[in-house]
Amino acid sequence: MAANEEIINFVLDQLQGIGEFETKRMFGGLALLQQGSAFGKIKHDKVWLKVDSTNIADFEKYWMTQYTYGKGGSRKLNFYETPF
């Protein structure tokens, strides 16, 4: 499922204040990168941010779901949805 262009444009507009970043179309979505490293993605009409041990509890506290793919969601990435 391709990413919704209206959502992409809205999110990119909202991110203008974070400094330089680039985008790359990948696997039907849009990766958000800073200095070549992904910090987020837009896919399935949602914004997903990369998490690590310093902030994962914040996402889990508000029941944000982890990005999964594959049969039955068997593959998981360190990206969690945002309530945008």
Side-chain angles (χ1 to χ4, degrees):
M1 177 176 172
N4 180 314
E5 290 299 319
E6 284 184 44
I7 292 173
I8 289 172
N9 291 333
F10 173 77
V11 172
L12 295 180
D13 181 61
Q14 299 302 301
L15 292 176
Q16 290 304 307
I18 70 166
E20 288 188 41
F21 68 94
E22 59 187 301
T23 62
K24 185 175 183 181
R25 295 215 177 255
M26 299 178 77
F27 309 112
L30 189 73
L32 307 171
L33 305 111
Q34 237 178 2
Q35 298 178 347
S37 294
F39 68 87
K41 65 191 312 168
I42 303 170
K43 185 142 183 186
H44 305 301
D45 294 339
K46 294 181 180 183
V47 178
W48 306 84
L49 293 178
K50 191 166 189 175
V51 302
D52 61 20
S53 62
T54 66
N55 63 1
I56 193 169
D58 296 324
F59 288 83
E60 292 174 339
K61 175 180 173 183
Y62 293 104
W63 302 96
M64 299 293 101
T65 59
Q66 185 175 16
Y67 184 85
T68 62
Y69 66 100
K71 188 173 183 177
S74 61
R75 314 269 321 223
K76 297 179 181 187
L77 297 179
N78 287 336
F79 288 86
Y80 276 69
E81 72 174 310
T82 63
F84 90 99

